[in-house]
Amino acid sequence: MALPTRELSDDERLDWLRLARTDSVGPITFRGLIGRFGTARAALEALPEMARRGGRQRGLTPASLADAERETAAVAALGGRMVALCEPDYPEPLAAIEDAPPVLSVLGARDLMSRRSVAIVGARNASGNGRRIAAKLARDLGAAGLTVVSGLARGIDAAAHDGALESGTVAVVAGGIDVVYPRENEGLHRRIAEQGVILAECAFGIQPQARHFPRRNRIISGLSIATIVVEAAPRSGSLITARMANEQGREVFAVPGSPLDPRAQGCNALIRKGAILVQSAEDVLDGLSPMLRTLEPARPAGFETPKTFDETAPTDGAAAQSQVLECLSPTPTPVDEVLRDCQLSAPMVFAILLELELAGRIERHPGNRVTLT
Amino acid sequence: MALPTRELSDDERLDWLRLARTDSVGPITFRGLIGRFGTARAALEALPEMARRGGRQRGLTPASLADAERETAAVAALGGRMVALCEPDYPEPLAAIEDAPPVLSVLGARDLMSRRSVAIVGARNASGNGRRIAAKLARDLGAAGLTVVSGLARGIDAAAHDGALESGTVAVVAGGIDVVYPRENEGLHRRIAEQGVILAECAFGIQPQARHFPRRNRIISGLSIATIVVEAAPRSGSLITARMANEQGREVFAVPGSPLDPRAQGCNALIRKGAILVQSAEDVLDGLSPMLRTLEPARPAGFETPKTFDETAPTDGAAAQSQVLECLSPTPTPVDEVLRDCQLSAPMVFAILLELELAGRIERHPGNRVTLT
């Protein structure tokens, strides 16, 4: 059951926002719920009973309509709006990833998101040369008609946004759309809100915390046909973005540097692992040419509900749930494996997993895998 | 007819040297002549008549025995000796290349040449960092049991030799083995002659000229299972060495650098074209591990005469020669194509080509191709 792309009514969008803001409802569960119940409203109504069946101790109360209205109004007051995953304004490449945010807060020139985008990310403690390279890549790729996506961090991110300010840039922030972080990027944040796009998955007003950054990074890579890394230390956040781009089937580029420069180690390692070495925007355009030759971007899967969630199924009793729980551990287990190991129908397993997740007892991971929490 | 590897008598070695030093006899022709006539002596005797049949205006006089004796004595006086392609001391990987030098002058610890070698080459105007990287790579690869080969130029070459002086290094010079070039490397030249190996294809006493350098570079790469480039400008000599390594079926590694550093452009371009990015000796050893796992180096083809030269054949007359000449042009033509296009037997075509080369009318190129001169 694939939901067609369509503009939601304001009431429907509020339902989507409530469901997205409800405790234990991650992006993958969100898709499962819409797939199972058809609408966010119906899912909201079914949630408390499902969570109870999943074994949740304290009741699961969906986010309130009042909160959803308040958040929507606050975003609107800044000049922004909420965009749901099924709506035409939602960026197509992002909709194609498995754990796409169900709802985004968006501020600024939303039409920029309909163009093809590339991400430029890198070290916060970048060198002057690294920042110069990032700004020039951004400027040149912007001149070639691409939107430049980054994370509005210090260093490489800021330089990339700055280079693409005229041509069009999208900043994906880790906290709420109104929260300027880091402080020193206040001016840039304001200029991007005026000339480009600021985009957030987190609720309005939320201060970014450590756990938000990797989740934010999947949006940066997910928005983009390619991610370019400019200066990155080993085990840095930029390498997480590169890994996610790779998992999302997007191209990864890296700017090399001297082996004696610690900030080049991450990029050099990426190149050794297969990222394309980049010296200039031309190298990026060369690497992307098969993709760029397609004039009209093919509408990707978009909001296509995974087939596995298509059927509704009642779950009956503790025995089946125990069977599923026995298959799981804190190490990610593919749902396919659970299906193979349980003597239960697929719809039954999916329903039980959904309930367990709403009960906060399991967690979803990309690649259709789950862990016990 | 494959010649077995064997130690030559002093007289035979003098014949080899005379044939190698004879005008119009390049390395590929040399193999052809040995293949056709069995010994260097027989080839020397046949040369003048062959050159005449090929249409050579002024007679072809083989290099004299006196000159060969003088050169051999001069090399011996320095403590060195001549090594012919068929002899056990001749480095095996070099013997395996199509245009291996028929005779080398060798000074120093010849046993170093029996170990596996890697070449480290790069810019003459190298940066301090580049030189440090080259020296460290050389030291670490030396510690891993590899001989380090380079060209005794300023910059990267000198640093590589310096780093590998203790563990073992081979310097391939472009001129005669006695000619120190550049002057500033005099001390290094002397230390390598004492602790390592100095090796030359050119005759004793010859000052290196521009055309000698690319020919020297094929020896550097040919001696080595892999060539590592550290800092190289676009269109520099080091990139020629890398290309030759690639043509010889050897691995190519390159040390990356910032796109803003002109000395990194050549290496970065090599990596884009498929060279393995190297940050440390470990990266090189990783890249070579399939080769290094073979404990005993397989004896390569060595001095195996190409089959195409196995038969002797008289050439009869101008008609056949004209047919061959009509197939040729200043653009390299594969000998296979000449064979296909001429209505002549293969041994006949080979004999005519040999005569034309001795007459100075055609030139041989790797890949079994020839051009009209």
Side-chain angles (χ1 to χ4, degrees):
Chain A
M1 182 181 71
L3 290 190
T5 300
R6 65 182 180 93
E7 193 86 22
L8 297 179
S9 72
D10 288 348
D11 281 349
E12 285 175 311
R13 201 177 296 112
L14 286 169
D15 288 339
W16 274 62
L17 184 57
R18 287 181 65 199
L19 188 56
R21 295 285 180 253
T22 296
D23 194 22
S24 298
V25 177
I28 296 175
T29 305
F30 190 103
R31 286 205 193 217
L33 288 168
I34 295 287
R36 181 159 173 192
F37 295 101
T39 65
R41 172 69 56 92
L44 286 166
E45 281 162 8
L47 274 185
E49 171 58 15
M50 290 181 76
R52 200 195 52 69
R53 277 206 303 268
R56 191 182 174 95
Q57 302 296 322
R58 292 172 46 226
L60 175 60
T61 312
S64 73
L65 177 62
D67 282 350
E69 286 174 337
R70 230 184 331 267
E71 183 176 355
T72 302
V75 171
L78 286 182
R81 58 161 283 195
M82 313 304 296
V83 177
L85 176 47
C86 64
E87 294 190 289
D89 272 358
Y90 196 96
E92 293 178 4
L94 185 59
I97 75 170
E98 192 183 357
D99 51 352
V103 181
L104 296 170
S105 326
V106 182
L107 208 60
R110 286 199 304 281
D111 59 308
L112 281 180
M113 302 192 301
S114 66
R115 302 194 322 199
R116 286 181 190 278
S117 304
V118 289
I120 300 180
V121 299
R124 283 190 296 274
N125 68 337
S127 69
N129 280 342
R131 290 198 303 272
R132 264 190 292 282
I133 290 171
K136 179 153 173 52
L137 280 174
R139 201 160 39 244
D140 295 348
L141 291 169
L146 293 161
T147 293
V148 172
V149 179
S150 196
L152 200 44
R154 263 192 297 274
I156 297 299
D157 286 21
H161 286 305
D162 209 55
L165 210 51
E166 298 298 324
S167 53
T169 191
V170 174
V172 185
V173 296
I177 200 161
D178 56 314
V179 178
V180 175
Y181 178 88
R183 216 59 243 180
E184 68 191 82
N185 281 348
E186 185 160 18
L188 186 56
H189 187 113
R190 198 182 52 247
R191 286 197 299 280
I192 297 174
E194 286 163 11
Q195 295 179 257
V197 169
I198 308 263
L199 185 153
E201 178 181 25
C202 267
F204 194 87
I206 297 285
Q207 291 291 328
Q209 288 160 24
R211 69 190 159 85
H212 291 138
F213 290 94
R215 299 190 53 71
R216 185 271 309 269
N217 293 352
R218 89 185 193 287
I219 304 176
I220 293 176
S221 57
L223 282 167
S224 310
I225 53 175
T227 291
I228 306 163
V229 186
V230 185
E231 288 192 346
R235 286 174 299 281
S236 61
S238 309
L239 299 189
I240 298 180
T241 312
R243 180 167 55 75
M244 287 172 169
N246 191 45
E247 286 174 5
Q248 292 162 354
R250 313 295 163 85
E251 202 60 81
V252 177
F253 294 90
V255 175
S258 164
L260 300 180
D261 180 354
R263 283 172 290 214
Q265 306 266 315
C267 285
N268 289 348
L270 282 176
I271 295 166
R272 280 181 61 79
K273 280 189 270 179
I276 300 176
L277 184 151
V278 166
Q279 299 208 87
S280 65
E282 205 172 28
D283 289 345
V284 176
L285 296 171
D286 269 3
L288 293 178
S289 59
M291 276 168 265
L292 295 175
R293 266 198 293 273
T294 320
L295 281 177
E296 197 55 38
R299 177 96 199 159
F303 190 73
E304 185 95 28
T305 309
K307 247 219 161 52
T308 45
F309 281 109
D310 280 3
E311 296 179 45
T312 61
T315 79
D316 45 8
Q321 194 185 72
S322 301
Q323 262 198 62
V324 171
L325 282 170
E326 269 168 34
C327 298
L328 303 177
S329 79
T331 308
T333 307
V335 170
D336 283 353
E337 208 171 296
V338 180
L339 277 173
R340 222 177 26 243
D341 293 350
C342 290
Q343 302 303 316
L344 299 168
S345 72
M348 170 83 78
V349 169
F350 298 135
I352 290 169
L353 288 174
L354 202 48
E355 290 167 6
L356 287 172
E357 191 180 12
L358 292 171
R361 296 169 70 186
I362 67 167
E363 216 171 316
R364 300 271 180 184
H365 303 277
N368 204 19
R369 293 170 309 155
V370 290
T371 51
L372 275 187
T373 48
Chain B
M1 182 182 68
L3 289 193
T5 300
R6 64 182 181 92
E7 193 85 24
L8 296 179
S9 72
D10 288 349
D11 281 348
E12 286 176 310
R13 202 177 298 111
L14 285 169
D15 288 339
W16 274 62
L17 185 57
R18 287 181 63 199
L19 187 57
R21 296 281 181 255
T22 297
D23 194 22
S24 298
V25 177
I28 296 175
T29 305
F30 190 102
R31 287 205 192 216
L33 289 168
I34 295 288
R36 181 159 175 190
F37 295 101
T39 66
R41 171 71 54 94
L44 286 167
E45 282 162 6
L47 273 185
E49 170 59 13
M50 287 181 78
R52 199 196 51 71
R53 277 208 302 268
R56 191 180 175 98
Q57 302 298 321
R58 293 171 43 226
L60 176 58
T61 312
S64 72
L65 177 61
D67 283 348
E69 286 173 335
R70 228 184 331 268
E71 182 175 357
T72 301
V75 170
L78 286 182
R81 58 162 282 197
M82 312 304 296
V83 178
L85 177 48
C86 65
E87 295 192 289
D89 273 357
Y90 196 96
E92 293 179 6
L94 184 60
I97 75 170
E98 192 181 359
D99 51 352
V103 182
L104 296 171
S105 329
V106 182
L107 207 60
R110 286 200 304 280
D111 58 309
L112 280 180
M113 300 192 304
S114 66
R115 302 192 326 194
R116 287 181 189 279
S117 304
V118 289
I120 300 181
V121 299
R124 283 188 296 274
N125 69 337
S127 69
N129 280 341
R131 290 198 303 272
R132 263 190 293 282
I133 291 171
K136 179 155 173 48
L137 279 173
R139 200 158 42 241
D140 295 348
L141 291 169
L146 293 160
T147 293
V148 172
V149 179
S150 195
L152 200 45
R154 263 193 297 275
I156 298 299
D157 286 21
H161 287 304
D162 209 57
L165 209 50
E166 297 299 323
S167 53
T169 192
V170 174
V172 185
V173 297
I177 201 162
D178 56 315
V179 177
V180 175
Y181 178 88
R183 217 56 243 181
E184 67 190 82
N185 281 347
E186 185 158 21
L188 186 57
H189 187 114
R190 198 182 54 247
R191 286 198 300 280
I192 297 175
E194 285 162 13
Q195 297 180 254
V197 170
I198 307 260
L199 188 152
E201 178 179 27
C202 265
F204 195 87
I206 297 285
Q207 291 292 326
Q209 288 160 24
R211 67 190 162 85
H212 292 136
F213 290 93
R215 299 190 53 71
R216 184 271 309 267
N217 294 351
R218 90 188 193 287
I219 304 176
I220 293 177
S221 57
L223 282 167
S224 311
I225 54 174
T227 290
I228 306 164
V229 186
V230 184
E231 289 192 342
R235 284 175 299 282
S236 61
S238 309
L239 299 188
I240 297 179
T241 312
R243 179 167 57 74
M244 286 171 169
N246 190 46
E247 285 173 7
Q248 291 162 354
R250 313 293 163 86
E251 202 60 82
V252 178
F253 295 89
V255 175
S258 164
L260 300 180
D261 181 355
R263 283 173 290 214
Q265 307 265 315
C267 286
N268 289 347
L270 282 176
I271 295 166
R272 281 181 59 81
K273 279 189 271 180
I276 300 177
L277 184 150
V278 167
Q279 300 207 86
S280 64
E282 204 173 28
D283 289 345
V284 176
L285 297 171
D286 269 4
L288 292 178
S289 57
M291 276 168 265
L292 296 175
R293 267 198 293 272
T294 320
L295 282 176
E296 199 55 37
R299 177 96 199 159
F303 191 75
E304 186 95 32
T305 310
K307 247 215 161 56
T308 45
F309 281 110
D310 279 5
E311 297 180 44
T312 60
T315 80
D316 46 5
Q321 193 183 72
S322 302
Q323 261 197 64
V324 171
L325 282 170
E326 268 168 35
C327 298
L328 302 177
S329 78
T331 306
T333 306
V335 171
D336 283 353
E337 209 173 295
V338 180
L339 278 172
R340 222 178 25 244
D341 293 352
C342 289
Q343 302 304 314
L344 299 168
S345 72
M348 172 83 78
V349 170
F350 299 134
I352 291 170
L353 288 175
L354 203 48
E355 290 167 5
L356 288 172
E357 191 179 13
L358 292 171
R361 297 170 69 186
I362 67 167
E363 215 172 317
R364 299 270 180 185
H365 303 276
N368 204 16
R369 293 169 308 155
V370 289
T371 51
L372 275 187
T373 47

